[in-house]
Amino acid sequence: MSKTAKAALWIMIATMLSKVLGLFRELVIGNFYGTGKLSDVFLYTLNIPGIIVAVVGSAIATTYIPLYFELKEKKGEEEALKFTNNIINICAIITVIIAILGLVFTEEFVKIFAGGFSGDKFDLAVDFTKIMISGVLFLGVSKILSSYLQVNDNFVIPGLIGIPYNIIIIIAVVISTKTNIRVLAIGALIAMASQLFFQIPSAMKKSFKYKPYLNVKDETVKQLTILVMPMLIGVGIGQLNTFVDKALATTLSDGKLSALYYAGKLNEFVMALFVTSIVTVIYPKLAKMSNTKNNSGFVSTIVTSSNSITLVVMPIAIGAIVLADPIVRIIFQRGAFDAQSVNMTAMALRFFSIGLLASGIRDVLYRVFYSISDTKTPMINGSIALLINIVLNFALIGSLDYIGLALSTSISSVVTVILLFGSLKKKVGYFGGDKIVKTVLKTFGSSMVMGAVAFFVFKNISAIMGIGKLGDIVSTSVAVLLGALVYTVLIMILKVEELDLIFDMIKKTKNKLLKR
């Protein structure tokens, strides 16, 4: 098994641990607060620092990776480390300014991010935001430190930062039910800080030494600024897509924003586990191959990563559409998360799942462009997708209510991928697009058969088992297992190459564990 495959596997395991704990966090929140007013406010304001950092910190951290490789190759590790400290300090200054503005203009921030909140909801959102906004500093610097670890072949620790984060929020949720609801916001702030401090020891083991070095006139910083501006707009557009959806959801009746949130979290779990794990590993490799003009390896990496994601995500998306109701019941239904919450969340999950594969391939294609220092193309294509999403949001929310917001998000993801494929062909010529499309068609056909089998099995077993948690677990588990078996057999018959890679990863991991 290749070094890249091993790294992807270990980050997948690390991400699984973090995300399983993240799902447990959602269970705890859902159990105590359901899909009501308080959960709407907390879940939404919890994302405000993340949205801001996703725009600023992610753009800087992503551009940092290819520039780090270039600087290290030309001037050595010492200069690359100096550049890293410079970027950390610049990012810290930017986020401190944002935090101060957030504290001074909190009401304006909330009006921008949650324009539909009013009365008690609005006041509580302002209160929570005042407490949590300082988290942008920790999240911003944490992004840069994660990138530093990744370029130095440590992918596991960045994948595990969700563990302390989720544990702290879970503790805060439980304590808040016994004390004061402000404990939710305080716990969230501490959780954000934990992501940074969790990574520092590992960074130091990779020879990282912090120095208060700041030079905005540095040539590499100037180069980063040129590259980061289109990316900043591009990442901002992606977050604006999310913002528009949630802002419109705040205008709907209580609980619908939370339903979209919980459904989105289930899809995010799949994305983080399979897509982010692969993308995180291949991006530094793509940047290195682009820098060393390794064209054959570059194309091979694009095809393998896209097809591997397709092979895994396509059946999951179809399965989520077919088995949305029992999945949501098993995971979330308890305490204040009642049957109505299940129905709303399951419907949102179905429509989000339509665009799940497109979101995964889109993330791969974005990294392909970033690795060749092209940040404008993703920005332009993302802008077009944003306009489509906004138009569809307003067109569909009237007839489909909150479901229209989920559907428009999926459609815009599909459009973005189509545009990116066209742009990539113009930019680099042949990139293995025919092989990617071929695999998509094979996995789609196999997944549809799998979905039909899973639906039939679930219906028949649930009729025997009856209504209840145990019946759902047994019926869904058998349906998933038999569906997965049918899918695997079909994929083997159709000879999808990446299946061998996945089998190899599983076999090598099993052998390694047995030796221990």
Side-chain angles (χ1 to χ4, degrees):
M1 183 167 56
S2 68
K3 187 177 179 181
T4 301
K6 286 181 180 178
L9 178 63
W10 284 114
I11 193 174
M12 197 176 292
I13 293 170
T15 304
M16 182 182 291
L17 292 173
S18 293
K19 289 301 176 179
V20 166
L21 191 57
L23 277 178
F24 181 68
R25 180 196 74 193
E26 308 308 336
L27 294 180
V28 173
I29 296 172
N31 180 69
F32 286 109
Y33 295 110
T35 53
K37 178 174 68 176
L38 186 57
S39 66
D40 277 355
V41 172
F42 176 60
L43 294 174
Y44 195 77
T45 54
L46 178 64
N47 285 327
I48 290 178
I51 290 172
I52 295 169
V53 170
V55 175
V56 180
S58 293
I60 296 174
T62 305
T63 312
Y64 158 87
I65 289 176
L67 291 178
Y68 178 94
F69 278 120
E70 184 180 338
L71 193 62
K72 186 176 179 180
E73 186 173 326
K74 290 180 179 179
K75 297 185 179 180
E77 190 171 342
E78 190 68 29
E79 283 298 315
L81 181 58
K82 188 177 179 181
F83 168 64
T84 302
N85 275 299
N86 199 11
I87 295 302
I88 285 175
N89 292 324
I90 291 171
C91 189
I93 291 171
I94 293 172
T95 51
V96 165
I97 292 171
I98 292 171
I100 292 171
L101 290 173
L103 287 170
V104 175
F105 302 104
T106 314
E107 291 190 6
E108 287 74 14
F109 265 55
V110 175
K111 286 177 182 177
I112 292 172
F113 285 98
F117 286 168
S118 60
D120 292 342
K121 244 182 173 179
F122 179 81
D123 293 339
L124 186 59
V126 170
D127 195 13
F128 277 13
T129 303
K130 278 186 180 294
I131 296 170
M132 290 191 283
I133 194 65
S134 299
V136 294
L137 169 62
F138 303 114
L139 294 177
V141 177
S142 176
K143 287 278 186 184
I144 308 300
L145 215 55
S146 292
S147 293
Y148 175 80
L149 286 169
Q150 288 162 12
V151 296
N152 285 282
D153 295 323
N154 186 333
F155 300 98
V156 176
I157 294 300
L160 289 173
I161 60 174
I163 291 180
Y165 175 84
N166 288 315
I167 289 174
I168 292 169
I169 290 183
I170 289 168
I171 293 171
V173 171
V174 175
I175 294 175
S176 72
T177 62
K178 306 292 183 183
T179 54
N180 189 295
I181 57 173
R182 287 186 177 85
V183 172
L184 288 171
I186 296 169
L189 178 61
I190 296 170
M192 293 175 205
S194 73
Q195 294 190 338
L196 170 61
F197 294 112
F198 182 76
Q199 296 183 92
I200 290 175
S202 297
M204 293 176 68
K205 288 181 181 178
K206 290 290 183 179
S207 302
F208 174 77
K209 295 179 182 178
Y210 175 75
K211 293 181 180 179
Y213 173 72
L214 183 67
N215 182 10
V216 294
K217 294 182 179 181
D218 179 81
E219 286 301 317
T220 311
V221 171
K222 289 180 181 178
Q223 189 179 353
L224 182 142
T225 304
I226 294 170
L227 290 173
V228 88
M229 291 312 294
M231 185 182 290
L232 197 60
I233 297 170
V235 174
I237 287 167
Q239 291 302 313
L240 191 55
N241 258 325
T242 303
F243 162 70
V244 170
D245 290 346
K246 291 183 177 179
L248 287 173
T250 63
T251 66
L252 302 174
S253 56
D254 286 348
K256 291 177 180 178
L257 173 61
S258 293
L260 288 169
Y261 174 85
Y262 286 119
K265 279 297 176 184
L266 289 175
N267 271 343
E268 282 178 23
F269 177 82
V270 176
M271 288 288 289
L273 184 57
F274 300 109
V275 178
T276 306
S277 301
I278 294 172
V279 169
T280 300
V281 175
I282 63 126
Y283 179 45
K285 309 296 180 185
L286 286 169
K288 196 171 185 178
M289 287 174 186
S290 175
N291 198 41
T292 57
K293 309 299 181 185
N294 183 355
N295 293 328
S296 61
F298 188 78
V299 171
S300 177
T301 302
I302 295 173
V303 173
T304 301
S305 55
S306 297
N307 287 351
S308 296
I309 287 171
T310 300
L311 189 64
V312 176
V313 174
M314 179 75 83
I316 291 175
I318 299 297
I321 293 171
V322 172
L323 301 173
D325 288 297
I327 289 171
V328 174
R329 280 198 298 269
I330 291 168
I331 296 175
F332 290 118
Q333 189 172 21
R334 56 186 52 80
F337 204 100
D338 55 18
Q340 183 182 0
S341 299
V342 169
N343 291 334
M344 288 194 299
T345 304
M347 286 299 294
L349 176 61
R350 288 188 179 96
F351 284 89
F352 273 135
S353 296
I354 292 172
L356 186 61
L357 177 61
S359 297
I361 295 179
R362 178 196 63 199
D363 286 356
V364 172
L365 295 178
Y366 275 165
R367 295 311 190 281
V368 172
F369 282 103
Y370 296 155
S371 68
I372 58 176
S373 298
D374 179 359
T375 53
K376 291 181 181 179
T377 300
M379 177 197 72
I380 294 169
N381 292 335
S383 299
I384 296 171
L386 170 64
L387 292 174
I388 293 171
N389 184 52
I390 292 174
V391 170
L392 288 175
N393 273 338
F394 284 101
L396 297 176
I397 194 172
S399 57
L400 297 177
D401 201 59
Y402 72 104
I403 298 303
L405 301 178
L407 179 58
S408 63
T409 298
S410 292
I411 293 173
S412 66
S413 295
V414 174
V415 171
T416 304
V417 169
I418 294 171
L419 293 173
L420 287 170
F421 271 134
S423 299
L424 186 59
K425 187 173 182 179
K426 290 179 182 178
K427 185 78 177 181
V428 302
Y430 180 74
F431 61 90
D434 56 328
K435 295 180 180 179
I436 296 172
V437 172
K438 189 177 179 181
T439 299
V440 168
L441 293 176
K442 287 181 179 180
T443 54
F444 178 71
S446 302
S447 297
M448 291 299 288
V449 175
M450 176 213 72
V453 170
F455 180 77
F456 176 80
V457 171
F458 174 78
K459 282 294 182 183
N460 282 276
I461 295 181
S462 61
I464 297 171
M465 294 293 298
I467 299 172
K469 185 75 73 178
L470 179 61
D472 273 337
I473 292 173
V474 173
S475 302
T476 305
S477 298
V478 175
V480 169
L481 288 172
L482 289 178
L485 179 62
V486 169
Y487 174 75
T488 303
V489 170
L490 289 173
I491 287 298
M492 291 175 69
I493 292 171
L494 294 173
K495 298 180 180 179
V496 177
E497 295 178 6
E498 282 69 25
L499 188 63
D500 292 334
L501 175 64
I502 292 175
F503 281 153
D504 186 43
M505 289 171 65
I506 295 171
K507 183 179 177 181
K508 292 290 179 63
T509 304
K510 183 186 74 173
N511 292 338
K512 195 170 185 179
L513 292 173
L514 289 174
K515 287 179 181 178
R516 291 182 178 181

